[in-house]
Amino acid sequence: MIPALMPTYNRADLAFERGEGAWLWTSDGRRFLDFGAGIATSSLGHGHPHLVRAIAEQAARVMHVSNLYRVPQAEELAARHVAASFADSVFFCNSGAEANEGMVKAVRKYHAENGHPERFRMICFEGAFHGRTLAMLSATGNAKYLAGFGPPVDGFDHVPFGNMNAVRDAIGPGTAGIMIEPVQGEGGVRPADLRFLRELRAVCDEFGLLLALDEVQTGMGRSGRLWAHQWAGIEPDVMSSAKGIGGGFPLGAILAREKVAKHLKPGTHGTTYGGNPLACAAGNAVMDVVMAPGFLDGVDRVARALWRGLLELAARHPSVVEGVQGAGLLLGLRLRPEVVNGDMQAAAAAEGLLTVAAGMNVLRLAPPLVIGQAEVEAALDLLDRTCRRVTPSAARAAAK
Ligand SMILES: *Cc1c(COP(=O)(O)O)cnc(C)c1O
């Protein structure tokens, strides 16, 4: 019989009862080091007192009123994002896919309002992940995710990740913009070359296209800068965010320059509970922590320590790990073809370390941004045990 909870996931048989910082406890008392952070989302870890208090206090006062009224918490959070980024204006929603949908709508509207309704196509990249709504499935372009869901939504053209010639070839009279993750998350923790990002900015300027960045996974400090594109020294025209910005409370956002945002006039786009007082109280609490002086430098420092440790791990276990890739605290172990990332993930969990598999046989590490050296060392130790567990040693083979 089908489970009451629709079986769209192959869930691990673990149920967590309590969390503190980067640690989670199951109801039967087992402790796990959480280097998945609910897929790069629990940016402040579990039970962060400032976030917990902000949510509890706001929930007791007023959670939801709809966007028919002013929401001071949203006004404050938007102003803070504007002050800290390229953006002039922010729209709040509830998830990454929804933020991306709105971002593509904004790009299309910009061209329509500028007299070019025929320019609605986005250039996207192979290996991308933009979400599970009908249009974002098309933007993602992964045949496995699209199968069975009818004709793909029109307007998304795919080219190989990092290939500037292919980008130029794909630009036509119907092209509206380029949509890219600065680091492909689901696709295998694959960072775009910083030079490639700069060239995309330049080609957008050359052809009057909008650069639309999907920073749903890479943003809000995960890369060691507030936004990953800052490493390339470029600014997009519009950007989506979600995952980490609510610290585990559902919150998404579209950040846009005025030339894009000004066309989303009243009635053009909306959401019932996007940006409600409760979600924005969470968003403001995350902002308080991430924007505190020295916090992002700390993320960068701890990320570099983790990176160095992973390189040593890879050198110690060449039969398991082929390489290390990613940026900041979004890192991937590229595994040898003989080692399936799902098996490695299960082996890590058996050792007490939570990770997330990603495309191209990568094991993804995306710990809370609040980890310190102690958690880095604990994770490296557990990964070392995991590598030994998945290596079929001669002794064990002989014993069989
Ligand atoms: C997770 C993710 C999404 C989808 O976000 P949801 O909140 O699951 O809708 C979109 N883009 C990127 C880059 C993501 O990592």
Side-chain angles (χ1 to χ4, degrees):
M1 209 176 68
I2 189 168
L5 183 60
M6 208 178 282
T8 56
Y9 279 87
N10 279 318
R11 297 167 190 267
D13 187 17
L14 292 170
F16 300 106
E17 176 182 77
R18 187 169 67 84
E20 196 182 310
W23 297 90
L24 281 169
W25 283 263
T26 55
S27 29
D28 58 3
R30 282 177 295 160
R31 188 175 83 142
F32 291 81
L33 180 56
D34 186 7
F35 265 46
I39 317 187
T41 294
S42 307
S43 43
L44 305 190
H46 304 285
H48 192 286
H50 184 63
L51 178 60
V52 170
R53 197 178 325 115
I55 290 173
E57 284 178 2
Q58 189 60 53
R61 248 181 262 129
V62 60
M63 281 189 231
H64 175 78
V65 294
S66 87
N67 288 306
L68 301 177
Y69 309 101
R70 285 184 50 205
V71 178
Q73 296 80 1
E75 291 171 4
E76 182 192 345
L77 184 57
R80 297 174 79 181
H81 273 299
V82 164
S85 75
F86 72 95
D88 300 311
S89 197
V90 183
F91 176 91
F92 291 114
C93 55
N94 311 288
S95 73
E98 191 188 357
N100 282 335
E101 289 272 341
M103 177 161 78
V104 172
K105 282 177 72 178
V107 170
R108 290 182 174 194
K109 188 78 170 158
Y110 166 86
H111 288 291
E113 294 288 326
N114 282 298
H116 291 286
E118 79 286 359
R119 294 179 73 168
F120 65 87
R121 309 193 69 82
M122 301 298 290
I123 294 175
C124 300
F125 293 89
E126 290 167 11
F129 183 79
H130 298 300
R132 298 282 197 156
T133 58
L134 279 172
M136 287 311 110
L137 280 179
S138 282
T140 295
N142 183 327
K144 207 173 72 188
Y145 297 161
L146 278 159
F149 296 113
V153 172
D154 189 26
F156 300 95
D157 302 314
H158 289 85
V159 300
F161 191 62
N163 186 330
M164 206 56 216
N165 288 337
V167 170
R168 286 186 166 273
D169 282 348
I171 296 171
T175 305
I178 298 175
M179 181 170 178
I180 187 169
E181 301 154 83
V183 181
Q184 287 191 339
E186 306 307 304
V189 195
R190 252 203 312 179
D193 229 59
L194 297 183
R195 202 187 59 195
F196 182 61
L197 291 176
R198 290 183 204 117
E199 286 172 349
L200 290 180
R201 177 68 272 176
V203 87
C204 282
D205 293 340
E206 184 183 343
F207 290 94
L209 311 178
L210 297 184
L211 181 60
L213 294 183
D214 178 346
E215 290 231 29
V216 167
Q217 188 155 169
T218 53
M220 210 54 213
R222 181 143 299 275
S223 73
R225 305 286 285 269
L226 186 58
W227 304 107
H229 67 260
Q230 293 175 288
W231 289 106
I234 57 153
E235 292 185 340
D237 298 294
V238 58
M239 177 178 80
S240 58
S241 176
K243 290 199 165 88
I245 61 168
F249 196 91
L251 178 64
I254 307 166
L255 287 78
R257 289 168 71 176
E258 181 170 8
K259 68 172 187 178
V260 180
K262 71 179 183 189
H263 300 299
L264 294 178
K265 297 192 186 83
T268 56
H269 191 54
T271 161
T272 298
Y273 54 64
N276 77 14
L278 187 54
C280 290
N284 275 306
V286 172
M287 199 82 182
D288 291 337
V289 174
V290 171
M291 296 308 284
F295 182 84
L296 288 171
D297 288 340
V299 171
D300 188 46
R301 205 159 39 240
V302 85
R304 285 171 199 269
L306 179 58
W307 175 273
R308 277 192 302 273
L310 292 175
L311 287 179
E312 287 166 17
L313 179 92
R316 268 198 311 281
H317 300 283
S319 63
V320 179
V321 182
E322 212 167 66
V324 183
Q325 57 197 39
L329 286 177
L330 181 58
L331 296 177
L333 291 177
R334 204 169 61 249
L335 304 179
R336 298 271 310 164
E338 306 81 52
V339 183
V340 178
N341 58 357
D343 297 344
M344 179 88 170
Q345 182 188 351
E351 293 290 349
L353 179 71
L354 304 177
T355 60
V356 190
M360 305 196 347
N361 207 28
V362 163
L363 188 74
R364 177 173 21 169
L365 304 173
L369 306 183
V370 296
I371 59 164
Q373 191 59 31
E375 286 86 1
V376 167
E377 277 160 26
L380 290 169
D381 181 50
L382 293 170
L383 281 169
D384 200 67
R385 291 161 187 266
T386 305
C387 286
R388 275 184 267 142
R389 186 186 271 262
V390 299
T391 309
S393 74
R396 245 185 300 159
K400 273 193 183 158

